[in-house]
Amino acid sequence: MKPTPILTITDYNILRELTKKAKDSSNIREIALLTQELDRAIINKEDLLDDTIIRINSHVVIEDVKTQKQMSIQIVMPSQSNIKEGKVSILAPLCVAVIGFKENDEVEWQLPSGIKTLKVIAVTNSKNT
């Protein structure tokens, strides 16, 4: 069974706004999938969210369950994405797949390279002080 994404109110509102603005972009499929994920997400206040839940600006280690290959990325807004720095846009298929999930969750997702089972290995969220 697919886990239910959990988002902060702030991330939810940012992502909803992003999906509205990006309707005419080249990421039509990702926008549709992100909209579906937002529709089924549980929304919480920032201080009620577990630190191991992936949100915007999270540093994440994700593993392809089949190959056991791991990748470390930071999920960022599209304008901040920089592959060389490991910063991946929230609109990238991989990020749409894992946003709102937590450590040890597994999710099956259609990526450009085919259907993959992804496991969230580690999540680090910076504290905003």
Side-chain angles (χ1 to χ4, degrees):
M1 193 175 107
K2 193 174 181 179
T4 303
I6 301 170
L7 300 169
T8 64
I9 294 169
T10 304
D11 279 5
Y12 176 82
N13 289 333
I14 289 169
L15 294 172
R16 273 286 179 212
E17 200 55 40
L18 201 55
T19 59
K20 288 176 191 166
K21 288 180 184 170
K23 288 277 189 233
D24 56 352
S25 78
S26 58
N27 304 41
I28 299 295
R29 184 175 178 280
E30 279 65 45
I31 296 299
L33 292 170
L34 181 56
T35 300
Q36 286 175 7
E37 291 296 280
L38 292 173
D39 288 346
R40 65 187 203 91
I42 296 169
I43 314 304
N44 274 328
K45 293 180 180 169
E46 316 323 289
D47 55 354
L48 297 179
L49 216 58
D50 185 325
D51 279 342
T52 65
I53 292 178
I54 299 170
R55 55 192 94 174
I56 297 171
N57 295 319
S58 292
H59 291 269
V60 187
V61 179
I62 301 165
E63 179 179 88
D64 178 327
V65 172
K66 187 176 179 185
T67 65
Q68 294 188 326
K69 183 181 175 194
Q70 291 188 0
M71 63 200 96
S72 295
I73 62 168
Q74 181 181 14
I75 297 176
V76 297
M77 295 300 288
S79 61
Q80 299 171 310
S81 84
N82 183 328
I83 294 301
K84 288 180 184 170
E85 294 177 9
K87 295 180 177 183
V88 182
S89 166
I90 182 59
L91 296 180
L94 179 65
C95 297
V96 172
V98 298
I99 191 79
F101 296 121
K102 63 184 181 307
E103 285 180 9
N104 297 315
D105 278 352
E106 285 188 14
V107 61
E108 194 172 273
W109 202 260
Q110 176 71 47
L111 296 173
S113 56
I115 294 176
K116 301 282 184 188
T117 301
L118 306 169
K119 181 173 184 177
V120 180
I121 302 298
V123 178
T124 308
N125 287 300
S126 317
K127 294 281 185 222
N128 294 339
T129 51

